[in-house]
Structures are given as structure tokens and as C-alpha cells.
Amino acid sequence: MTPLVSRLSRLWAIMRKPRAAVGSGHRKQAASQEGRQKHAKNNSQAKPSACDGMIAECPGAPAGLARQPEEVVLQASVSSYHLFRDIAEVTAFRGSLLSWYDQEKRDLPWRRRAEDEMDLDRRAYAVWVSEVMLQQTQVATVINYYTGWMQEVNQLWAGLGYYSRGRRLQEGARKVVEELGGHMPRTAETLQQLLPGVGRYTAGAIASIAFGQATGVVDGNVARVLCRVRAIGADPSSTLVSQQLWGLAQQLVDPARPGDFNQAAMELGATVCTPQRPLCSQCPVESLCRARQRVEREQLLASRSLSGSPDVEECAPNTGQCHLCLPPSEPWDQTLGVVNFPRKASRKPPREESSATCVLEQPGALGAQILLVQRPNSGLLAGLWEFPSVTWEPSEQLQRKALLQELQRWAGPLPATRLRHLGEVVHTFSHIKLTYQVYGLALEGQTPVTTVPPGARWLTQEEFHTAAVSTAMKKVFRVYQGQQPGTCMGSKRSQVSSPCSRKKPRMGQQVLDNFFRSHISTDAHSLNSAAQ
């Protein structure tokens, strides 16, 4: 067993340690009365009566967050129309949202773990994994990955996308085991400071859900809810608007149920206050929503029956002084209704790049083997394994020459005449549209390559399907196999098992070994010998 796997085995042991004898049932019920009193005392300053929604001015904002220089905004640039101005309004918002959440929340595996798990470290780990997986990925996609990960501690990340998240989660877990005695940091400030890859949102989510810290969070769903509730039409990704949203979140979070409140706000954005077709009639805070009030006002104006009707509050019109309102260049669109808020910044189309990649195959004792090399530890698909690749060359001759040189760097002299072009694969990442020209080279009738430099390894085709490779590389492999996506007609010559027929990795240590040897370049020598 490698030292790394040994360390992660210790982490598994920590996460499986017996539950603390603190009772049963919902975690809110399991908290001691003394803990509740101490928590209430520590968070008493977070009550919103003296808070105007701006983090830099809010006495309830966590000190570590409030002192960040980028959060200093100009009060004069924000109208009070976009703030919660009294405790009654804040209390009504909290109560309505939490009552709705208690009745309508989805049954999700990470919520069950957070509610039922009494051990604080195990609870925090469960929340941590879910929040990392949910970054840039929909709930429906995450559920099965999360369930498998928590059952076996570490499932292969391939297929979930945004692969650097898995690497950072692994690095953070190692730090918890090796440097923090197996205990998770208890506050948003220390979580963000001590754990690699844990940013402001993830730290706040873990601290509020696992440890009951009254700290607000803002993700895409929460930002959309707050923008509509307070009629914020400016770009939510801008510094000023972003910090205003964080200030509102901190003002609104319920000190008694911070984790539930944050999840409720996210749930509302995910299921009711959706990007394109919000279900306003089902919204628990509709009466407090300024976007909805604006819709009603515009309807009254359109029907010319404004006189005699109740006044509808609005921001000072046409002054151009409020930096949270809809920009003058994008005025109110009657057809959009509440979807006027927030207005999204124009998104740049993904840049186009081209690459040539080659599946190099040789016979082996356990069947055909293919060569994989590891990508750098930073940048696109950091740390994942791929077929040897080079950037696109302007001519076929130069392309073949460059690709052959790259192959020989890893595997030694190769017969150039066997290098053949098979087709192309187009894969779009979040910001890059990458076209792969796919080549193949089969080493038949010659002595197999038995040693490779660090950062490369030979795998059987079965091992390939459980290795840390990207979806793009799986597409490349299907082209090499000569099959269309979704079929199970593999090449007889290569005898490659397809995704339709491959066996699932067995539980336990084998999964740990496969996952971590796929991600750590320092174990490359032992990995190569194991693969052979």
C-alpha cells in the first residue's frame, strides 16, 4: 500500500468512527441546550435591526469577511429601495421561507446525512463533498456520484466535469488528516483559510449547515432570488452587486437555523424562482418581492387604472444614480416580467482550439494495453490522464511528425508508417471548443514497451474505463474502437470492453487505490508497474 493510500485509509477510519453519544433524531434536536445558548450569545450581534445590508457596515458580518478590501462599496451608489430596512420585514422573510422549506424541500442524500449525522467532522465532510460536487453541476447529475462517493469514500471523478474540484477536495482531505488531527475547521473564516479549494461560498455552506454558524451564502440560485426580491437589475457578477448580495444574505440568515435558511434560499432558486419560468404563485416570499411589485405596477400602468390603486414603491426613476437598478441601456422589458432581474452579462463564445491525439496500443499479458500520460497539475483538466497529444499543425505532414515525436518521447522508437488518422472528436468545455484529430498506432509483432518515464503508464482497456480520464478522451477512444456512441460493437482486434459491458469496480481498497494512483503524479513509478 502506498503512503498516500495509507493516509486516505486513515481518513476513511476517521469518517467511520463511532457516532458521538449525543442522542438521535434531527441534528437541531440533538444540540444541547448549553450549546444553543452559547451559539445564540455568539451570534446575537448578527441580528439585522442595525444592519443596512452592506457587509462593510453590518455589525453581524463575520469579521474575516467584512475586512476584505474588495467589499468596501460606496453607500451613495445604492438606493434604500434595494435593502431590507426593518426587522419586521426580515423576520417575515425568514419565517415564510423556512415554513415553505420545511414542507417542500427535496429529499436529497446530502441533506439526510447532514440532518442525521451526529459526529461534527463526518457531518462537515458530507456537506463539503456535496457542495464541491454541486459547483457548476445540476442536482440530478450529482445524486448518484455523491451516493457512490460517500459509500466508498472516493469514487472516480471522471464524467462529473470540472475535474480540479476533485483534486482540491483530495488535497483538503489530506490536510485534515495530516495537519488538523482529523478535525474539520469549525468556522467559515478558518475553513476558507485552512482548506485548499474552499472559497467563500463553500466555507459558508459548511459552517452554517454542519456547525450552525450564522453566516450567509450566495450561489447562483441565491443571487437570483435576492436580485428579484430586491429588484437588482445590474450585473450580479460585478464587484459592487456581488458584495451587496453577500450583505443581504448575511442580514437575512436566520441565527437559529442558519443551515436550513441557506438551503431554503438555494432550494427556492432551484425549484421556484428559476431562471426562465419562475413559479411566482408558489413563492413563499412573493409579497416581499420587488420584482413582482414592479410587474404589478407595470400592469396597472398598461391598463391605465393606476389612479385610486395602492401605491407601489419603486426606486427613484430615471436618475441614473442607483447602480443596482436595470442599466439605462437595458430598460424594463414588459415581456420578461420578473425575469428582468437579474440581467445576465453577455457571455463570450468559447474559443476554438485544435489538437491531435493518438491511441497507442501494444499487446500485453492480460490483453491489449494503451498508453496514457498525465496532464500538468494546473490548467484545463489538471492532473487527469489522456492519450499523448500535441497542438494542431497547419499541414498533415507536420502534424504526423509532431505527434510521432510526442509518442516516442514516452514509448521510444516507433514505426511511423503505422500511424493512421481515424477521424475527429469535438468537445466543448465551459470556455473552450476543442477539436481532436484522432490517430491510432498499434504495435503488433514487436517487443512490448515495458518501461515508461514518470507521468505515463500502460493500462488495459478495462482499467481505462475506471481511470481518471475526461469525457473527451472517452469519445476519442470510441473513435479508435470504430464504434458510435451508445453501441456495444467493439473492435475484435483491440478487444476493448465498451462502457455498456464493463464491470463496475469492486468496493473497498481497490477503489481507493485506483482513484489515488490516477491523481498523484508522485506515485507514477509504482502505478506503472502495477498496471503492467
Side-chain angles (χ1 to χ4, degrees), residues 274-509:
T274 55
Q276 297 301 325
R277 295 179 179 84
L279 307 174
C280 293
S281 62
Q282 301 178 25
C283 179
V285 294
E286 181 186 12
S287 62
L288 299 170
C289 180
R290 296 217 185 282
R292 188 62 187 167
Q293 293 167 7
R294 177 68 184 270
V295 169
E296 294 171 353
R297 176 179 178 276
E298 296 296 332
Q299 290 174 344
L300 289 171
L301 287 172
S303 64
R304 297 183 180 180
S305 59
L306 190 58
S307 59
S309 62
D311 291 335
V312 179
E313 188 178 2
E314 61 177 319
C315 190
N318 303 321
T319 64
Q321 298 300 312
C322 179
H323 295 285
L324 296 182
C325 283
L326 291 167
S329 60
E330 299 180 53
W332 174 268
D333 184 339
Q334 185 72 30
T335 64
L336 294 178
V338 300
V339 180
N340 277 281
F341 308 99
R343 288 289 177 85
K344 292 184 178 180
S346 58
R347 189 174 183 179
K348 295 181 180 179
R351 69 176 186 269
E352 296 190 9
E353 296 183 1
S354 296
S355 176
T357 188
C358 180
V359 180
L360 180 62
E361 179 185 306
Q362 71 173 4
L366 299 178
Q369 295 179 319
I370 52 179
L371 180 68
L372 292 182
V373 298
Q374 192 172 33
R375 292 185 61 83
N377 287 327
S378 61
L380 182 68
L381 305 176
L384 290 190
W385 294 81
E386 67 178 5
F387 301 115
S389 304
V390 295
T391 57
W392 179 248
E393 296 290 346
S395 71
E396 175 75 12
Q397 183 179 3
L398 291 175
Q399 186 67 80
R400 296 174 68 89
K401 180 180 179 180
L403 189 55
L404 190 64
Q405 289 176 344
E406 176 68 10
L407 293 169
Q408 291 174 339
R409 184 165 76 90
W410 299 105
L414 297 171
T417 56
R418 296 185 185 178
L419 184 65
R420 55 196 179 95
H421 183 261
L422 305 176
E424 70 176 33
V425 164
V426 178
H427 189 80
T428 302
F429 301 93
S430 59
H431 59 294
I432 299 174
K433 181 179 180 181
L434 189 52
T435 300
Y436 295 92
Q437 297 298 329
V438 182
Y439 288 78
L441 199 163
L443 302 179
E444 298 176 345
Q446 65 182 73
T447 304
V449 179
T450 57
T451 60
V452 290
R457 57 188 176 125
W458 290 97
L459 293 182
T460 65
Q461 292 85 350
E462 188 69 25
E463 290 171 325
F464 169 81
H465 289 301
T466 58
V469 297
S470 67
T471 301
M473 287 298 104
K474 293 180 179 180
K475 290 181 180 180
V476 168
F477 198 37
R478 283 199 293 263
V479 171
Y480 178 76
Q481 290 179 285
Q483 64 180 154
Q484 296 297 321
T487 67
C488 295
M489 301 297 291
S491 166
K492 292 183 178 180
R493 177 186 61 78
S494 62
Q495 297 182 349
V496 179
S497 61
S498 71
C500 301
S501 62
R502 67 179 185 270
K503 298 179 181 178
K504 295 181 179 179
R506 71 173 186 265
M507 302 282 285
Q509 190 64 48

Side-chain angles (χ1 to χ4, degrees), residues 501-518:
S501 62
R502 67 179 185 270
K503 298 179 181 178
K504 295 181 179 179
R506 71 173 186 265
M507 302 282 285
Q509 190 64 48
Q510 182 61 41
V511 175
L512 285 172
D513 291 341
N514 286 343
F515 179 84
F516 288 105
R517 74 182 183 185
S518 300

Side-chain angles (χ1 to χ4, degrees), residues 48 84 86-97 252 254 288:
F84 288 87
D86 58 68
I87 186 62
E89 194 174 30
V90 170
T91 302
F93 186 95
R94 290 172 179 168
S96 297
L97 184 60
L252 291 171
D254 191 323
L288 299 170

Side-chain angles (χ1 to χ4, degrees), residues 43-60:
N43 290 284
S44 60
Q45 72 271 30
K47 294 188 180 299
S49 57
C51 179
D52 63 3
M54 308 300 291
I55 284 185
E57 301 294 328
C58 179

